[in-house]
Amino acid sequence: MVSSTVYGIEELLDRVYTLLTSFGYEVWMSHKGTVPVFSNRTAFGNCLQAVKDCDLFLGIITPNYGSGQDPKDSSSLSITHQEILKAIELNKPRWLLAHDNVVFARSLLNNLGYKGRAGRADLRLKKNQIFTDLRIIDLYEDATIDHESPETVPLDERKGNWVQKYHSNNDGSIFIGSQFFRYQEVEEFIKENFQNGEPLQKNGGAS
C-alpha cells in the first residue's frame, strides 16, 4: 500500500506505481484507484482497512497535510496521518519518505525554540499552498519515533524509525526502486526487523 497526499506529487506517485508494478507487486494507491473500496465502509474505514490488510506499507510525507480532518475539531488528523499511525501501531513492514521541506521546517522551528508539539502549540500558519499545516511536522516526528522523550526511547533503541529524505521525484524513485527491486531481499528485511509484527501474507491481504 502507498499512503500519501496527492496534490503536487502526482508525477512521483505515477513513477512509484510504475516501478512497483514492474517489479511484480500489486499496488494499492488511492491516486490510481486501486485501494479496495466497499460501500458499507466510510472513506476512512476503507483506507484504514487497507493498511490492516496490506503486506507492505510505503508512506510519503509531503508539505501538504491532506484531507479528512474534521473542520470542527482542530486536533483531528488527516487520512494520511491516520494511515501512517495505523501502520506504526500494527508494526507493518514499512518504508517512509519525507520531503526535504518537511525536514527543513522542523529543524528551523526547533532552532527557533519551537520544539515538539508543545513548543509548536501556539503557532498558527496563514493559509498557503507551500506548507499547509504544522501537523505535518507532528506526522514526521511520529514516523521517526521522535515524539517520545530520549529517556523513554533512546535513539539507539528505536526501531522502524528510518525516514528517507527526498528533494526531487528522482530522489524518491531511487529510494523506492532500490528498496523494492528484489522481493527476496524485502522478505529478508521483514524477517530481521519485523518479527513481532503482522505476519507477511502471500496474496495481497484479505479484502
Side-chain angles (χ1 to χ4, degrees), residues 97-109:
L97 281 165
H99 193 276
D100 182 58
N101 288 352
V102 176
V103 182
F104 173 79
R106 177 178 180 268
S107 178
L108 177 64
L109 290 178

Side-chain angles (χ1 to χ4, degrees), residues 155-168:
L155 182 61
D156 61 354
E157 294 182 13
R158 296 176 193 169
K159 296 181 179 180
N161 63 327
W162 184 288
V163 177
Q164 179 67 32
K165 182 175 70 173
Y166 78 98
H167 179 72
S168 66

Side-chain angles (χ1 to χ4, degrees), residues 116-147:
R117 282 173 169 79
R120 296 187 296 268
D122 294 329
L123 294 178
R124 295 292 180 270
L125 280 178
K126 291 183 178 179
K127 189 174 182 179
N128 68 91
Q129 297 299 318
I130 299 173
F131 200 93
T132 62
D133 197 301
L134 289 176
R135 283 171 294 181
I136 297 166
I137 301 176
D138 295 348
L139 172 53
Y140 177 78
E141 291 179 345
D142 287 330
T144 57
I145 327 255
D146 201 24
H147 57 289

Side-chain angles (χ1 to χ4, degrees), residues 59-129:
I60 305 175
I61 303 171
T62 76
N64 180 28
Y65 188 58
S67 62
Q69 60 269 38
D70 184 348
K72 298 179 182 178
D73 180 4
S74 60
S75 65
S76 63
L77 306 178
S78 70
I79 293 176
T80 301
H81 198 157
Q82 292 193 46
E83 289 172 345
I84 291 177
L85 287 178
K86 179 59 69 175
I88 293 170
E89 174 193 335
L90 296 174
N91 199 28
K92 284 286 179 176
R94 60 186 181 272
W95 292 259
L96 294 163
L97 281 165
H99 193 276
D100 182 58
N101 288 352
V102 176
V103 182
F104 173 79
R106 177 178 180 268
S107 178
L108 177 64
L109 290 178
N110 282 353
N111 288 329
L112 289 173
Y114 302 106
K115 188 173 183 179
R117 282 173 169 79
R120 296 187 296 268
D122 294 329
L123 294 178
R124 295 292 180 270
L125 280 178
K126 291 183 178 179
K127 189 174 182 179
N128 68 91
Q129 297 299 318

